[in-house]
Amino acid sequence: ELRWIDWSSFPSPLSATESELAVKEPPGLKLNVPKLPEATPLKSAGLQDRGTLRIGFEHQLVLSESHGLPVRAGYAFIPTGLTEDSSANLVDADLQLLSAGTGLNWRAPSEVLPGTLKLDVHGQWGLLHERALSAQAGRDAENTEVTAGGYFVAAGLTLAYEFAPR
């Protein structure tokens, strides 16, 4: 799958322009609701459109008339929408994902359960490419450089039952 992410069409993030909180007071209770500070518009995030790539396959191995073993694997590349000169305080980096999964499908395990019982195990490894970003802690603070990157591992186990059509 090739997909186009239209990041540049996202509107510039702006702070809320309301200066009062909308609070409904319970009967007989008077609350001192503070006014919000004046909203400060933020600069555009400076995002650019990007293409992503996702590849995957699944194959069902037939073990017997009632048992199947699905085998899956996938890869995805998701580039960041941030440009090198973006002034937004957003932490983002290019992402690569590898995933794999397998399980056991048991069709009609009994007369009481005529559908399919499915046990699935899956895992994912993700790599965020290291990227140096310029960040500003507050309105009057100096710019500092933040490095984003690293990897993560995720895993899961799913048990499901698919009802058989009558």
Side-chain angles (χ1 to χ4, degrees), residues 19-26 28-36:
S19 59
E20 291 185 16
L21 292 172
V23 176
K24 291 185 178 181
E25 297 174 340
L29 182 63
K30 181 67 177 153
L31 299 175
N32 184 13
V33 180
K35 292 196 179 271
L36 294 175

Side-chain angles (χ1 to χ4, degrees), residues 1 5 13 16 23 32 37 55 60 64 66 72 74 78 80 85 90-91 94 102 112 115-116 119 128 134 137 145:
E1 171 184 87
I5 302 177
V23 176
N32 184 13
I55 300 170
Q60 179 83 334
S64 71
S66 61
R72 294 179 307 283
I78 306 167
T80 178
D85 60 346
L90 300 173
V91 179
D94 293 341
T102 188
V112 177
T116 304
L119 177 66
L128 288 162
S134 179
E145 194 163 288

